[in-house]
Amino acid sequence: MAVSTRRILHGAITDITNNINLEDELHCDTFSHAFIEGGGHDTRRPSLVRNNPFASTAVLNRLNDQGSILSKFLLATDEKGCDDRDGKPSCWSRLKACFASPGSMDSMDACWCSLMLEPMESRSVRVIMLGEAYALFGALFLNCTWILYEYGSVKGYGDTDEDALVNHVFEAVMALAIMCNTFLALNGMTLWVLSILQSESSQQWVFTVRGMLSLCLNLVTITVVLDFIGMVLAVYSNLSPRWPETIICFVVAAILHISWNRTLGDILVTSMPLEFYHTPLAHKLSTNPASVLTKKGRQKLQTDARARAEELKQRAYQRRGA
């Protein structure tokens, strides 16, 4: 569905552009070409991105600024993470100090910094695709959330012998899941529409919408966690006190969730170690704890992150002729 939508939009835009160019050529509209292309008679209309004299300097200026988000992302600053500002470290600050990542941004915004370094033509398309993916996933996954709610809810089956406490917890968890899922679709749609309108004309669009991108990612994570908790409560509500079946379903659910989470963590650490290095400690512990809890894992993650930072930095300069 997503692919077909992009093909339809791309085909419609191409047809309109070709028709306009053909009209200009047939009517010898040299004024429009002179106005757009500076006096040339080529029927191809130039891209606003490619002819923008600031397109190649905006990113370079941020890379040269030691206080910019891109410099922090590429580990080009001397800042240290886990600093306590009030002079009285909390328990969470002490825990972070034990597993400190020097120079870490401790922010989900780091997931989008590599996209900021891409050429404008590439990132303008990819940010539209991200909005599209979040919107479609949120809309489609809402069906799964609702089916899970109907499966575990007392109101769905009318059984009055259910554990009242478990049912109350289940109702609260699934209400939160439905809210997060709904707003995931809403935020994804908003990002999708705004990106279609602004991504090609605004050089700093990815930087501008990084908060919304992180919000969508956090909503995905929260929705998945809440649905998993709701799944466990629904199984308990429907199968207990038939404990053999209940325990088997619990074990299968745990294996499926742990396998998915471990596979995701391995992919993140292998393919995007720099982005993972900058994410908050809680995210690292929940996704790939070995990269934080073991000294070998922390050293490997830091080494891989610095290698990727150097690779991204060199690529950014080469693509902009610097």
Side-chain angles (χ1 to χ4, degrees):
M1 181 178 179
V3 176
S4 61
T5 303
R6 290 197 298 272
R7 287 177 178 173
I8 293 172
L9 290 175
H10 183 270
I13 294 172
T14 303
D15 291 341
I16 293 173
T17 304
N18 291 338
N19 291 336
I20 293 175
N21 288 336
L22 183 58
E23 271 186 9
D24 290 343
E25 187 175 4
L26 291 176
H27 292 84
C28 299
D29 190 1
T30 57
F31 173 76
S32 62
H33 293 298
F35 181 78
I36 296 175
E37 303 175 45
H41 296 281
D42 189 1
T43 57
R44 294 174 300 174
R45 294 177 183 268
S47 169
L48 295 175
V49 175
R50 293 179 182 175
N51 286 329
N52 193 332
F54 302 104
S56 62
T57 60
V59 173
L60 295 180
N61 290 338
R62 288 189 178 274
L63 289 175
N64 294 329
D65 182 6
Q66 291 294 312
S68 69
I69 186 174
L70 289 182
S71 294
K72 296 176 182 178
F73 174 68
L74 295 176
L75 303 175
T77 62
D78 296 329
E79 295 183 7
K80 301 294 182 182
C82 305
D83 291 336
D84 192 75
R85 296 183 180 180
D86 58 5
K88 208 170 183 183
S90 61
C91 295
W92 180 245
S93 299
R94 293 174 182 174
L95 177 63
K96 291 175 68 177
C98 296
F99 310 107
S101 300
S104 174
M105 295 168 58
D106 275 338
S107 172
M108 297 303 292
D109 291 353
C111 298
W112 324 111
C113 288
S114 59
L115 184 58
M116 299 179 194
L117 295 170
E118 293 292 324
M120 191 167 179
E121 298 92 334
S122 174
R123 65 175 183 261
S124 64
V125 173
R126 290 166 66 182
V127 73
I128 293 174
M129 295 173 66
L130 282 169
E132 181 182 8
Y134 281 130
L136 294 177
F137 172 79
L140 295 175
F141 197 72
L142 185 58
N143 294 324
C144 299
T145 303
W146 184 256
I147 290 172
L148 183 60
Y149 171 73
E150 287 190 333
Y151 170 71
S153 176
V154 174
K155 298 177 181 179
Y157 288 90
D159 192 348
T160 58
D161 295 333
E162 302 287 344
D163 190 328
L165 178 60
V166 173
N167 181 64
H168 292 164
V169 174
F170 175 80
E171 293 285 341
V173 168
M174 295 311 299
L176 293 173
I178 292 172
M179 286 188 286
C180 291
N181 205 158
T182 302
F183 276 90
L184 170 61
L186 177 61
N187 281 278
M189 180 276 298
T190 304
L191 177 64
W192 189 2
V193 173
L194 292 178
S195 296
I196 291 174
L197 296 174
Q198 298 293 330
S199 61
E200 271 206 33
S201 59
S202 176
Q203 301 172 34
Q204 307 296 332
W205 184 245
V206 178
F207 179 80
T208 303
V209 299
R210 70 188 189 281
M212 183 169 285
L213 287 167
S214 299
L215 175 61
C216 289
L217 181 58
N218 289 330
L219 286 175
V220 170
T221 304
I222 294 172
T223 301
V224 170
V225 171
L226 290 174
D227 276 2
F228 177 75
I229 296 174
M231 184 188 303
V232 172
L233 293 175
V235 168
Y236 174 82
S237 178
N238 280 276
L239 296 183
S240 65
R242 302 192 300 272
W243 297 116
E245 297 94 324
T246 305
I247 293 174
I248 290 175
C249 288
F250 281 170
V251 171
V252 171
I255 291 175
L256 291 174
H257 184 75
I258 293 173
S259 300
W260 170 76
N261 198 62
R262 183 175 180 179
T263 303
L264 175 62
D266 291 341
I267 292 174
L268 294 177
V269 171
T270 303
S271 62
M272 43 192 302
L274 181 59
E275 292 85 341
F276 187 78
Y277 182 83
H278 284 296
T279 54
L281 177 61
H283 179 264
K284 297 176 188 174
L285 289 173
S286 62
T287 309
N288 195 314
S291 63
V292 178
L293 298 178
T294 64
K295 184 177 180 180
K296 182 179 179 180
R298 292 194 299 271
Q299 290 177 345
K300 185 178 185 305
L301 178 61
Q302 185 173 357
T303 302
D304 293 344
R306 293 193 177 278
R308 177 164 169 79
E310 189 63 28
E311 176 189 351
L312 291 176
K313 187 175 182 179
Q314 290 180 0
R315 189 188 305 169
Y317 280 112
Q318 290 174 357
R319 286 175 172 173
R320 291 160 179 83

